[in-house]
């Protein structure tokens, strides 16, 4: 959560270091750690530290388990140091169970704070194993009450939020504000392009839909309705309850083409809301200019853009970072929304919102592509959302390509990459904790000014576990 709000919305270089990723990478695919690995016996005191502790002093864990634990912690520590010292990282989120007050004090001197994935396990076995881990720690758990630490304590997923040391900075307060807007109810989010307008895809003109655009709106609406019903039927076939579909809310910008794209669904009784912040990225002086002309007239700007396409803005234009800041109220309301949600918007807006929900690298956002013949469904999952593409059939080829000609340079090339199923960046591949990157291709984007790193402990307190 904190990564999404910091890296994409606030433009702060952020990375999550999940100790479970390091553990799985160390023991290997399909292998499990020793049965005594999760025993609470001093692990948190030596967390990310260099102290030598004997097996007898640590209690029930065997010497081999202690050594394995220290090896995993050492690798995590090295990656966090590298992130701050070599990559100029600003926020490191150290995600692990830290039940002891003494251990948290040690962590507070170095770093800050996601959880385990059970790949290949049955749901019953995964729950049983995880509960056993929690049970082993409960007798030793010490509630976070250290007066000298900076921390946020969330109880029962937003029932109560406790903030200690309120003076720990602007960014931390933004994270608190973000946490206050969260809920844990499941809902699906759908992204769809607006239909093509009658007078060309222009930022300045607010044209109505062309006949092809009206036809697209009808086919897109019918495709989404059929898909949601098929999903409900598939759930029932798997033994799920025969419950009605969750309500669907539609958000559009105030521009005619997005409003008119939603009109077909509005006539069928779906609620439509216009959101002024969802207007497309302003291309500035480059609107309607060909790539060749932009390169001839603004060679210095092109060079800056190619070096940092997320933060660079052309003359009198917006950058993607500017757009993300403008979309902040939308992101907060998106987190509060409990109905299923269809967002109909320009591709530039969809890029930023997709990048936020899928925890993409900021540098990947300008290259995301949303062809008009696909609806993107964002499916919530425990640790990372998943993306699914829903094909809209029978559309003419000329209205499908992404990234219209008039803003080819400030956005992406047409028809290169579509969002893919899976994690993070739309490129294929699995995340790896070994290189410190959540995306297989590159690290997180960073503003050119570096920071010293914000150290913030977030305790997720679950009562009655």
């Amino acid at each position: 959560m904190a990564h999404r709000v910091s890296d994409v919305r606030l433009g702060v270089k952020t990375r999550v270091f999940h100790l479970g990723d390091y553990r799985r990478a160390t023991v290997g695919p399909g292998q499990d750690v020793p049965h005594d690995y999760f025993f609470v016996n001093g692990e948190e005191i030596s967390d990310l530290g260099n102290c030598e502790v004997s097996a007898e002093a640590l209690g029930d864990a065997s010497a081999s388990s202690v050594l394995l634990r220290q090896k995993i912690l050492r690798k995590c520590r090295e990656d966090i140091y590298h992130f701050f010292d070599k990559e100029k990282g600003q926020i490191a989120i150290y995600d692990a169970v830290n039940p002891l007050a003494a251990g948290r004090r040690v962590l507070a001197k170095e770093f800050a704070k996601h959880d385990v994935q059970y790949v290949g396990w049955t749901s019953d076995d995964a729950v049983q194993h995880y509960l056993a881990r929690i049970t082993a720690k409960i007798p030793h758990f010490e509630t976070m009450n250290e007066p000298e630490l900076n921390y946020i304590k969330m109880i029962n997923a937003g029932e109560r939020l406790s903030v200690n040391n309120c003076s720990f900075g602007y960014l931390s307060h933004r994270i608190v504000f973000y946490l206050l807007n969260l809920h844990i109810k499941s809902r699906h989010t759908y992204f769809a392009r607006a239909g093509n307008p009658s007078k060309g895809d222009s930022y300045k003109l607010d044209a109505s839909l062309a006949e092809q655009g009206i036809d697209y709106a009808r086919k897109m609406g019918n495709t989404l309705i059929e898909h949601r019903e098929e999903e409900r039927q598939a759930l029932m076939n798997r033994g799920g309850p025969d419950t009605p579909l969750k309500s669907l809310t539609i958000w559009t910008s105030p521009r005619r083409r997005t409003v008119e794209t939603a009109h077909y669904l509005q006539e069928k009784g779906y609620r439509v809301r216009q959101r002024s912040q969802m207007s497309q990225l302003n291309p500035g002086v480059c609107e309607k200019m060909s790539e060749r002309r932009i390169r001839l007239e603004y060679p210095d700007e092109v060079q800056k853009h190619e070096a940092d396409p997320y933060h660079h803005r052309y003359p009198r234009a917006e950058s993607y970072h500017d757009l993300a800041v403008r979309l902040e109220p939308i992101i907060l309301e998106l987190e509060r929304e409990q109905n299923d949600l269809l967002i109909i918007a320009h591709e530039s807006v969809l890029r930023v919102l997709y990048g936020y929900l899928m925890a993409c690298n900021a540098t990947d956002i300008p290259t995301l592509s949303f062809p008009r013949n696909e609806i993107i469904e964002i499916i919530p999952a425990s640790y990372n959302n998943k993306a699914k593409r829903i094909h809209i059939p029978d559309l003419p080829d000329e209205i499908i390509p992404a990234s219209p000609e008039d803003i080819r340079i400030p956005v992406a090339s047409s028809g290169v990459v579509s969002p893919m199923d899976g994690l993070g960046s739309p490129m294929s591949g699995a995340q790896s904790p070994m290189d410190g990157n959540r995306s297989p291709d590159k690290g997180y984007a960073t503003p050119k000014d570096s920071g010293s790193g914000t150290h913030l402990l977030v305790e997720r307190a679950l009562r009655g576990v």
Side-chain angles (χ1 to χ4, degrees):
M1 295 184 300
H3 158 249
R4 279 159 41 181
V5 71
S6 300
D7 191 45
V8 173
R9 184 158 63 87
L10 297 180
V12 177
K13 189 171 186 179
T14 308
R15 188 168 300 162
V16 177
F17 296 86
H18 175 27
L19 200 60
D21 288 340
Y22 287 84
R23 185 179 70 248
R24 287 185 289 276
T26 300
V27 302
Q31 303 299 313
D32 200 3
V33 293
H35 74 283
D36 57 350
Y37 178 90
F38 294 108
F39 289 179
V40 174
N41 45 25
E43 162 193 0
E44 285 72 25
I45 296 176
S46 59
D47 241 2
L48 298 172
N50 293 311
C51 47
E52 297 287 338
V53 186
S54 67
E56 290 75 21
L58 286 175
D60 296 328
S62 64
S64 60
S65 291
V66 173
L67 290 173
L68 176 61
R69 199 155 55 202
Q70 291 176 343
K71 176 183 178 182
I72 294 168
L73 290 169
R74 187 162 53 250
K75 175 57 181 170
C76 181
R77 177 188 63 191
E78 291 169 354
D79 283 356
I80 296 176
Y81 278 137
H82 186 274
F83 175 64
F84 281 131
D85 296 340
K86 304 299 183 183
E87 301 180 45
K88 304 301 181 184
Q90 293 172 275
I91 295 181
I93 302 175
Y94 174 67
D95 189 358
V97 178
N98 303 287
L100 302 182
R104 293 192 291 265
R105 287 189 172 98
V106 171
L107 284 172
K109 295 176 181 178
E110 302 195 50
F111 318 112
K113 187 188 175 218
H114 216 83
D115 211 346
V116 85
Q117 293 176 342
Y118 288 93
V119 178
W121 292 54
T122 66
S123 57
D124 289 342
D125 288 344
V127 169
Q128 224 172 23
H129 184 270
Y130 188 63
L131 290 178
R133 288 173 51 194
I134 294 175
T135 302
K137 294 179 183 290
I138 285 176
H140 308 279
F141 185 82
E142 299 172 358
T143 298
M144 182 175 278
N145 288 316
E146 298 87 325
E148 75 277 17
L149 297 185
N150 303 329
Y151 64 81
I152 303 168
K153 186 189 297 186
M154 179 182 283
I155 299 172
N156 291 346
E159 180 182 293
R160 183 157 61 91
L161 209 67
S162 174
V163 182
N164 194 60
N165 287 345
C166 294
S167 60
F168 53 81
Y170 165 80
L171 186 58
S172 300
H173 283 92
R174 300 305 295 166
I175 293 173
V176 172
F177 182 55
Y178 172 76
L179 292 173
L180 289 170
N181 287 276
L182 298 181
H183 66 81
I184 58 174
K185 294 184 178 180
S186 177
R187 54 137 173 83
H188 289 206
T189 304
Y190 305 92
F191 291 156
R193 292 270 303 279
N196 55 311
S198 57
K199 296 181 180 179
D201 199 340
S202 170
Y203 177 80
K204 295 177 182 178
L205 292 178
D206 191 12
S208 297
L209 289 181
E211 285 299 320
Q212 284 183 329
I214 295 172
D215 180 62
Y216 160 79
R218 178 179 57 81
K219 290 176 178 176
M220 183 274 291
N222 287 334
T223 298
L224 181 60
I225 292 170
E226 292 169 7
H227 171 77
R228 297 181 76 230
E229 183 55 41
E230 288 171 0
E231 292 277 289
R232 187 183 80 91
Q233 191 61 49
L235 178 63
M236 291 169 53
N237 293 341
R238 295 194 298 267
D242 183 7
T243 55
L245 285 168
K246 184 171 288 191
S247 297
L248 176 69
T249 300
I250 302 168
W251 290 357
T252 76
S253 78
R255 295 177 71 85
R256 288 181 183 175
R257 62 173 178 262
T258 60
V259 173
E260 292 177 5
T261 302
H263 187 63
Y264 177 77
L265 288 169
Q266 188 173 29
E267 287 184 329
K268 289 185 171 291
Y270 293 96
R271 183 187 179 200
V272 177
R273 295 183 60 189
Q274 296 180 26
R275 314 306 306 269
S276 60
Q277 300 93 337
M278 284 172 46
S279 294
Q280 69 192 72
L281 180 146
N282 183 350
V285 298
C286 293
E287 184 178 22
K288 292 296 183 183
M289 292 175 64
S290 67
E291 178 176 344
R292 181 175 177 274
R293 184 179 169 192
I294 294 173
R295 290 187 178 277
L296 286 173
E297 295 189 20
Y298 301 101
D300 294 341
E301 296 295 335
V302 170
Q303 188 175 11
K304 292 176 185 177
H305 179 80
E306 290 175 343
D308 188 358
Y310 182 78
H311 292 95
H312 172 261
R313 64 176 70 89
Y314 283 90
R316 298 196 293 278
E318 286 182 300
S319 68
Y320 273 94
H321 177 64
D322 296 332
L323 178 57
V325 172
R326 168 154 59 88
L327 287 171
E328 178 179 344
I330 298 297
I331 289 173
L332 291 174
E333 189 154 355
L334 188 152
E335 291 292 355
R336 289 196 297 267
E337 181 64 54
Q338 299 186 21
N339 292 334
D340 285 352
L341 183 62
L342 168 64
I343 296 177
I344 301 174
H346 186 269
E347 192 174 16
S348 57
V349 173
L350 299 184
R351 287 189 181 104
V352 172
L353 296 178
Y354 178 93
Y356 165 75
L357 289 174
M358 296 301 293
C360 292
N361 293 331
T363 48
D364 289 337
I365 287 175
T367 66
L368 296 174
S369 179
F370 295 84
R372 204 172 259 119
N373 65 341
E374 291 177 351
I375 301 170
I376 306 300
E377 178 180 17
I378 308 296
I379 304 168
S382 299
Y383 307 105
N384 296 278
N385 293 337
K386 297 180 180 180
K388 181 177 181 180
R389 291 179 290 176
I390 306 164
H391 179 68
I392 305 172
D394 303 324
L395 293 179
D397 292 341
E398 61 267 23
I399 75 167
I400 291 174
S403 304
E405 176 71 24
D406 59 314
I407 49 175
R408 175 81 44 103
I409 286 294
V411 291
S413 298
S414 175
V416 177
V417 178
S418 291
M420 304 294 288
D421 293 351
L423 308 177
S425 164
M427 304 299 184
S428 60
Q431 67 182 30
S432 168
M434 306 309 291
D435 60 5
N437 295 335
R438 285 173 55 86
S439 170
D441 294 295
K442 62 192 82 170
Y444 287 121
T446 175
K448 295 308 177 186
D449 55 325
S450 61
S452 60
T454 299
H455 308 298
L456 177 67
L457 293 175
V458 180
E459 179 187 42
R460 294 173 297 180
L462 300 174
R463 295 188 299 192
V465 176

